[in-house]
Structures are given as C-alpha cells and as structure tokens.
Amino acid sequence: ETGVTQTPRHLVMGMTNKKSLKCEQHLGHNAMYWYKQSAKKPLELMFVYNFKEQTENNSVPSRFSPECPNSSHLFLHLHTLQPEDSALYLCASSQDGTITDTQYFGPGTRLTVL
Amino acid sequence: QKEVEQNSGPLSVPEGAIASLNCTYSDRGSQSFFWYRQYSGKSPELIMFIYSNGDKEDGRFTAQLNKASQYVSLLIRDSQPSDSATYLCAVGRSSASKIIFGSGTRLSIRP
C-alpha cells in the first residue's frame, strides 16, 4: 500500500449506531488530519495530530472522537450521529504539520447517516 | 468575509485555451498558498504551492501570488478535457498555524 488509505470507503449507519473510520499513512509523516467535506462547502478541518498528540480540535461535537495510536494510524469513532453529519470524511497527512507542508489526502469515506 | 474566497463557477473554457482561476484571502499574514485539484468523487491532490510573490511555473500550470492585493491565481495553459475538475485554493495562516481551504471553483473544459 502506498500513500494514505482509508477504510471503509462507504458507510451507512443509523443514528444509534457506533462505527469507526480508519486511516493509515505510508509516507513516514508525523502529522495527520481529519476533514469533513459537505456539498458546496469548504473542507472543514476537524482534528490535527502531530507526533500522536492532538494539536487541534476545531469545535467538533463530542459524537466524533478521534484516536491516534501512532504516527501512521488515525481513527475517527462515531456515535449517535445526526443526518447532517452525512458527508465525505477525508484523512490527510503531512510531514510535520506546519503551514508550509503539503497535505496528502486519502480517498475518503462517504458517510450516510439515516 | 470568508477567510479564503473562490468563485464557485462553473467556469467553462474551450479546449486549448487558458483557464484562469482566482482566489482571495483575508489574513494579510498568510504565508503559504496551495492549489489542489479534486475530481468528482475523488480526494484532493496537490497541483502546486507558492510562498513568494510572483509567478511559479510547472508544466502547463502557473501559480501567481500577489500578497499586497491578497490574491493567488492558477493559470492552466492549453486546457484539456482532463483538466475538468474542482480546484481548491488553500492558504496557510501563521497566526492560526493551520491551512484554510476555499470552497473551490468548478472548471469545465469543453471540446
């Protein structure tokens, strides 16, 4: 595997379900990100991890819970989501999390909340 | 005022012509500027980055940065149908230590 991978690619869940999104980067980077992309809206940064430490939580509701066990893996745990949480969830990584770093994106998870 | 503004389009350009995409930003202290391309149903991929005022060329792509006027543009020469995509402008704000994305401009190259 190369680059940034995400699983699952598609997820349909009910409002009472608990599920997790997984991201893995094979680039040797130290920073990882979760973004939400909704139709006709800018990419919304959700969380940033740098060297496994959370450095950004962009006022994300607690029904989204990130986990970063090491610099290569990032999870997003989901519970009691709302229909408005349906979106494309993108994981990205960069070398050191600075503003001059290029971010490399995974293919995304298309989430539908019923 | 949005932090990073782009015309949503669609911008329709004939094949072989120059496509010009523009982006303005609000934070005068911004230091890094990126253009990403996103095909429908796919994730964003980097086309170019620019840090200094002026032009930066890479193949058919030229990024132009004017910090005094707070805009960055992307020119695509000899446009091809494969260039049809949404182009995202992203700006690195040192004051916030993060990169802010615009909502993108949809470009359509007509044969």
Side-chain angles (χ1 to χ4, degrees), chain A residues 9 33 35 37 40-43 45 56 58 88 90 97-108 110, chain B residues 30-34 36 38 41-46 49 51 88 92-94 96-99 101-103:
Chain A
R9 296 292 307 277
Y33 311 77
Y35 285 91
Q37 188 174 38
K40 301 199 187 300
K41 293 175 73 173
L43 276 170
L45 179 65
E56 180 87 24
N58 209 20
L88 180 68
L90 290 162
T98 66
I99 62 168
T100 53
D101 273 359
T102 295
Q103 294 185 20
Y104 295 85
F105 287 85
R110 174 69 62 185
Chain B
S30 298
Q31 295 186 341
S32 55
F33 307 86
F34 304 83
Y36 284 83
Q38 186 173 23
K42 302 292 186 182
S43 58
E45 56 180 337
L46 181 75
F49 60 84
Y51 302 147
L88 306 177
R93 290 180 52 201
S94 57
S97 296
K98 60 179 161 184
I99 293 173
F101 283 82
S103 54

Side-chain angles (χ1 to χ4, degrees), chain A residues 3-5 22-30 32 52 68-74 91 93:
Chain A
V4 182
T5 58
K22 178 183 175 182
C23 175
E24 184 174 0
Q25 58 96 1
H26 309 267
L27 300 169
H29 289 166
N30 297 307
M32 297 187 77
K52 302 188 300 178
C68 187
N70 55 59
S71 293
S72 299
H73 294 86
L74 185 64
C91 173
S93 71

Side-chain angles (χ1 to χ4, degrees), chain B residues 24-39:
Chain B
T24 59
Y25 58 94
S26 60
D27 186 349
R28 188 170 288 278
S30 298
Q31 295 186 341
S32 55
F33 307 86
F34 304 83
W35 282 101
Y36 284 83
R37 177 176 62 201
Q38 186 173 23
Y39 291 114

Side-chain angles (χ1 to χ4, degrees), chain B residues 5-82:
Chain B
E5 286 212 60
Q6 297 181 256
N7 188 319
S8 62
L11 174 65
S12 182
V13 173
E15 185 175 356
I18 296 175
S20 178
L21 303 159
N22 299 312
C23 171
T24 59
Y25 58 94
S26 60
D27 186 349
R28 188 170 288 278
S30 298
Q31 295 186 341
S32 55
F33 307 86
F34 304 83
W35 282 101
Y36 284 83
R37 177 176 62 201
Q38 186 173 23
Y39 291 114
S40 180
K42 302 292 186 182
S43 58
E45 56 180 337
L46 181 75
I47 297 176
M48 293 187 71
F49 60 84
I50 185 168
Y51 302 147
S52 304
N53 271 333
D55 295 0
K56 180 180 179 182
E57 188 174 317
D58 184 0
R60 296 187 296 112
F61 299 95
T62 299
Q64 299 176 317
L65 175 60
N66 184 323
K67 288 187 177 181
S69 300
Q70 294 175 241
Y71 82 79
V72 56
S73 61
L74 179 70
L75 302 178
I76 306 175
R77 289 181 298 282
D78 187 24
S79 297
Q80 304 296 311
S82 58

